[in-house]
Amino acid sequence: MSRILLVFLMLAATAGAVVAYGDGEQIARASDTVAQMLRRGSVQPAPAVEIARSQAGEFALNVKINGVKAPMVIDTGATSVVLTYETAKVIGLPLEMLEYNVDVETAGGHTKAARLTLDRLAVGHLVEKSIPALVVPRGQMKTNLLGMSFLDRLESWGVQADRLKLHGYPDVTGSIDTGSSNIPARHRRGRHAVD
């Protein structure tokens, strides 16, 4: 209920701004949008994923990167998603075009990494697009890291009783991963929920 109220308040504030500028056509569209949302209850619940702590003390999981399954470990100390060379190759990333010019410190010591952007990274029902990531050279790491370049895009995340809970943003458009949105492109963020 509070999310519906939040959406209503955001739309009311937007409508208020439109009224201030006196564009009657936009006022009518904003009014119709609010009315439609309230009628159909189009605020979808926020997607969430829970991950149990492994016996080794890590939060290990399988994700999909550009549609390809890959094992990862959550690492809040990593500023970015970091992929091993081997995983990047399986995913089909353009390894021959990468420049290893980013200094990184890993558990194994200092190395260089290459920057790239992942088209899509899915953790269960949480899907983010255009994720900054790093790839380390062959043999430099054994584990892929799900770092802050993904986690910072979530609404919230936290640990309770050996379970990591990741919470995405609610889908306020009512269009769950249809590839289109009622939100203008300049306001769209790389967040979508999928079934």
Side-chain angles (χ1 to χ4, degrees), residues 33 53 57 63 70 102 145 152 172 186:
T33 301
R53 188 186 309 263
V63 303
V102 179
L145 305 177
D152 276 344
V172 296
R186 68 181 178 280

Side-chain angles (χ1 to χ4, degrees), residues 78-152:
T79 57
S80 182
V81 169
V82 183
L83 301 178
T84 65
Y85 179 91
E86 294 76 12
T87 297
K89 185 175 182 176
V90 168
I91 292 168
L93 298 176
L95 298 175
E96 64 284 347
M97 299 178 72
L98 297 180
E99 290 184 42
Y100 293 89
N101 58 5
V102 179
D103 290 319
V104 294
E105 291 296 325
T106 69
H110 179 82
T111 191
K112 296 276 189 180
R115 289 184 210 276
L116 53 77
T117 300
L118 303 174
D119 292 333
R120 181 179 165 104
L121 195 155
V123 176
H125 296 294
L126 301 173
V127 179
E128 294 292 330
K129 296 180 179 179
S130 299
I131 303 292
L134 298 172
V135 174
V136 295
R138 184 187 315 260
Q140 293 295 308
M141 285 178 40
K142 293 183 176 146
T143 305
N144 301 300
L145 305 177
L146 189 63
M148 296 306 294
S149 63
F150 177 84
L151 297 172
D152 276 344

